[in-house]
Amino acid sequence: MELTMLGTAAGRPAEGRNVTAAALTMPPQRGTFWLFDCGEGTQHQLLRAGMKLCKLERIFVTHLHGDHVFGLPGLLGSRSSMGCDAPLTLHGPRGIRHWLETTFSITGAHVHYELEIREIDGDGGVVHEDDQFTVKAAPLNHRIACYGYRIEERPRPGRLDAAKLAELGVPQGPLYAQLKRGEDATLQDGRVIRAADVVGPPIPGRVIAILGDTTPCDAAIRLAEGADLVVHEATFEAALAGKAAEYGHSTTAEAARTARDARAARLLLTHFSGRYRDEDLPRLEAEAREVFPSSAAARDFLNVQLPHKRRT
């Protein structure tokens, strides 16, 4: 898995930075990716990143401010005109269905694949679950309804104790796979081999928190708790905390405190105000690192690898 930052600017595009979007490439066996927010020009960013719209499986929108959604109608329409027929699910705050349906209606646009829109309301909760991942949403503290997302991968089976299996006379083959799945196995002589006796503890899955626009709040910390990677807006530098609060945003230091308090592993700062140029990013990154050393400032097309946790 890897996360590709497609847009790291706040409010409007800046030179070298597009507005908010990020793509999460799923495990190879799925062959798909998920999109988080879709600011204007996101489909152009996907083209530059070499990511194919037909591989897009889900879109998660944090809130309905234009710099996070104005790319949606065009992207959805392009996916249809390209002949993509795979279903697509869109998750977002209440109102996103009405906005899209109105836009499609008055522009005469058509989507020919199955598009499911799932609106999120209130306290959020589990918004998606499959055999590999659970996605949870929670409301943040912004000027309009805004959600953050926590993507949790299910644990992987622990390591088989091959030496113990050989000692017990378990033949290699289907019984090994059965035990690996956590199922007890019965040998030909009638002995029952308990999976708990020959399989190590489960290996925790990866956790990514992708937060929308917000001032510091408890919900952000809960979503980021123990995460391998937290993507957090840092619209302003630390000295502009008052301005950040006025507009419903966070500073570099505030984002870092959220990651620190959540005991996260890494923090990726994004959503930078247009007042900052690329040469300012090392300074903004340094401010966050004073609070949380494992902080980095994102740039457009940055790829962040998300390796599996290791077996112990």
Side-chain angles (χ1 to χ4, degrees):
M1 291 172 65
E2 70 176 19
L3 185 72
T4 302
M5 301 301 292
L6 299 170
T8 57
R12 56 181 172 79
E15 186 175 353
R17 292 203 300 273
N18 201 50
V19 283
T20 301
L24 180 63
T25 301
M26 305 307 287
Q29 62 268 31
R30 291 174 82 117
T32 61
F33 71 93
W34 293 354
L35 185 65
F36 291 82
D37 282 334
C38 188
E40 182 182 359
T42 293
Q43 63 175 313
H44 294 278
Q45 298 293 86
L46 287 167
L47 283 169
R48 295 186 184 102
M51 306 184 79
K52 300 182 184 302
L53 281 178
C54 290
K55 300 292 187 182
L56 177 57
E57 183 182 10
R58 291 182 181 273
I59 303 175
F60 297 87
V61 170
T62 60
H63 64 296
L64 299 182
H65 276 157
D67 58 321
H68 295 254
V69 298
F70 280 172
L72 261 178
L75 182 146
L76 296 174
S78 291
R79 190 176 186 271
S80 185
S81 66
M82 293 169 61
C84 302
D85 55 9
L88 176 64
T89 304
L90 170 64
H91 307 260
R94 182 171 296 279
I96 196 167
R97 179 192 303 277
H98 175 69
W99 176 64
L100 280 174
E101 289 179 347
T102 300
T103 300
F104 288 155
S105 174
I106 65 178
T107 60
H110 297 282
V111 171
H112 301 292
Y113 51 85
E114 179 186 346
L115 174 62
E116 181 182 3
I117 300 175
R118 298 183 184 177
E119 292 192 322
I120 306 168
D121 204 356
D123 293 334
V126 174
V127 296
H128 170 67
E129 194 166 19
D130 60 39
D131 60 351
Q132 282 186 293
F133 294 93
T134 299
V135 182
K136 299 175 181 176
L140 302 175
N141 188 20
H142 194 44
R143 290 174 292 157
I144 63 173
C146 183
Y147 289 86
Y149 295 99
R150 178 183 176 90
I151 304 96
E152 299 177 345
E153 183 181 34
R154 297 190 187 281
R156 291 184 295 153
R159 184 191 295 273
L160 279 173
D161 188 337
K164 190 167 187 178
L165 288 169
E167 179 184 328
L168 292 170
V170 180
Q172 292 189 25
L175 291 183
Y176 271 47
Q178 183 175 332
L179 291 163
K180 182 80 169 176
R181 293 194 300 268
E183 302 169 4
D184 296 345
T186 302
L187 303 185
Q188 288 186 343
D189 61 11
R191 286 182 297 141
V192 176
I193 307 299
R194 296 178 63 247
D197 296 334
V198 295
V199 181
I203 304 156
R206 292 163 284 191
V207 176
I208 306 106
I210 300 179
L211 307 179
D213 294 0
T214 187
T215 60
C217 62
D218 290 342
I221 296 173
R222 290 195 299 271
L223 288 168
E225 183 68 35
D228 299 285
L229 178 68
V230 177
V231 181
H232 196 303
E233 68 125 299
T235 308
F236 296 105
E237 61 192 285
L240 297 179
K243 183 175 286 294
E246 179 183 356
Y247 290 99
H249 291 298
S250 294
T251 67
T252 52
E254 289 169 339
R257 283 195 285 271
T258 292
R260 179 198 65 194
D261 294 349
R263 297 185 295 277
R266 288 188 289 171
L267 169 65
L268 192 61
L269 305 170
T270 187
H271 201 267
F272 300 111
S273 165
R275 69 179 59 210
Y276 304 115
R277 298 183 177 274
D278 281 353
E279 53 265 32
D280 296 314
L281 295 188
R283 175 172 62 86
L284 300 179
E285 186 177 274
E287 286 186 348
R289 286 183 173 178
E290 288 182 6
V291 178
F292 185 73
S294 297
S295 300
R299 290 169 171 79
D300 285 21
F301 302 111
L302 172 71
N303 291 315
V304 180
Q305 299 296 318
L306 298 161
H308 279 296
K309 291 184 171 70
R310 295 183 178 181
R311 292 179 171 89
T312 55

